[in-house]
Amino acid sequence: QVQLQESGPGLVKPSETLALTCTVSGGSVNKYYWTWIRQPPGKPMEWIGYIFYSGTTNYNPSLKSRITMSVDTSRNEVSLKLNSVTEADTAVYYCARDRSAWGSFLDPWGLGTQVTVSS
Amino acid sequence: DIQMTQSPSSLSASVGDRVTITCRATQSIATNLNWYQHKPGQPPTVLIYAASIVQSGVPSRFSASASGTEFSLTISSLQPEDFATYYCHQTFGFPFTFGQGTRLEIK
């Protein structure tokens, strides 16, 4: 059974770079799309974007200028970097697996990791 | 962006009740609509994909339908384990978007 685990610093200072890792266990990152989603407090979930195991990406235009996603197939990990963070980036960040680039669904998800942006 | 208006935002119901949650899209999304259940301390899980297909392992009391840009999730007879937050999610137009969520609480 595939399980995902997000990890990263719980606290990031404004203007710094947020770096998160999603570790995949019980399966391989190969052949799948890996999606990042976040949920700010009291707000809807926001689709951040996805990366295919080959490295192809598709980012939310609202975040595109600040995002970098990467895949490490040898470590079975997916990473998200978000630079120049502000308090508006405070959220629970989730990673999830998708089977295709369009028209599919997210399964499974990780538990999520809380990230707070504060000085 | 395609906006997903989910209603109600919260719902109080009793075990055995039949409940329906609705999502309306601001434009056609075909049947590219998924429903997720999220319980505290657990990852979200998919209940329904492609608007009406029940994911393997999901109890038969969960069903969903679509009519144009309106999508519904129905739980036919609420069980204690169904009290959670439910989200719709469209995968038709980029960026993909989610509904605001419906918190289903015990009356």
Side-chain angles (χ1 to χ4, degrees), chain A residues 37-68:
Chain A
I37 306 103
R38 69 180 184 178
Q39 186 168 31
K43 294 188 176 182
M45 289 190 180
E46 179 179 30
W47 181 83
I48 298 172
Y50 65 62
I51 183 167
F52 193 41
Y53 79 102
S54 64
T56 301
T57 57
N58 189 352
Y59 299 151
N60 190 321
S62 69
L63 298 167
K64 188 173 184 177
S65 64
R66 299 194 291 132
I67 296 174
T68 303

Side-chain angles (χ1 to χ4, degrees), chain A residues 37 39 43-47 50 58-62 94 98-111, chain B residues 1 32 34 36 38 41-46 48-50 55 87 89 91-101:
Chain A
I37 306 103
Q39 186 168 31
K43 294 188 176 182
M45 289 190 180
E46 179 179 30
W47 181 83
Y50 65 62
N58 189 352
Y59 299 151
N60 190 321
S62 69
Y94 298 91
D98 205 338
R99 284 163 174 74
S100 72
W102 182 86
S104 184
F105 58 91
L106 301 171
D107 177 60
W109 296 55
L111 268 173
Chain B
D1 297 3
N32 291 19
N34 308 313
Y36 301 93
H38 192 194
Q42 299 183 22
T45 57
V46 62
I48 305 286
Y49 63 93
Q55 170 71 328
Y87 297 95
H89 166 227
T91 58
F92 183 85
F94 290 106
F96 298 156
T97 49
F98 292 83
Q100 300 94 318

Side-chain angles (χ1 to χ4, degrees), chain A residues 6-116:
Chain A
E6 304 90 347
S7 59
L11 181 65
V12 183
K13 289 183 168 54
S15 80
E16 293 187 343
T17 296
L18 163 66
L20 298 176
T21 298
C22 175
T23 301
V24 180
S25 59
S28 172
V29 297
N30 292 330
K31 309 296 185 187
Y32 290 101
Y33 293 80
W34 301 93
T35 296
W36 288 93
I37 306 103
R38 69 180 184 178
Q39 186 168 31
K43 294 188 176 182
M45 289 190 180
E46 179 179 30
W47 181 83
I48 298 172
Y50 65 62
I51 183 167
F52 193 41
Y53 79 102
S54 64
T56 301
T57 57
N58 189 352
Y59 299 151
N60 190 321
S62 69
L63 298 167
K64 188 173 184 177
S65 64
R66 299 194 291 132
I67 296 174
T68 303
M69 294 184 187
S70 59
V71 174
D72 187 333
T73 55
S74 65
R75 297 175 64 89
N76 230 28
E77 292 179 345
V78 182
S79 296
L80 168 70
K81 289 186 178 180
L82 178 64
N83 60 37
S84 304
V85 298
T86 70
E87 291 183 356
D89 295 310
T90 293
V92 177
Y93 285 75
Y94 298 91
C95 63
R97 187 181 70 176
D98 205 338
R99 284 163 174 74
S100 72
W102 182 86
S104 184
F105 58 91
L106 301 171
D107 177 60
W109 296 55
L111 268 173
T113 187
Q114 172 69 51
V115 175
T116 301

Side-chain angles (χ1 to χ4, degrees), chain B residues 72-92:
Chain B
S72 297
L73 171 70
T74 297
I75 310 172
S76 60
S77 178
L78 276 173
Q79 298 302 301
E81 60 269 28
D82 299 337
F83 292 94
T85 301
Y86 294 84
Y87 297 95
C88 63
H89 166 227
Q90 68 84 16
T91 58
F92 183 85

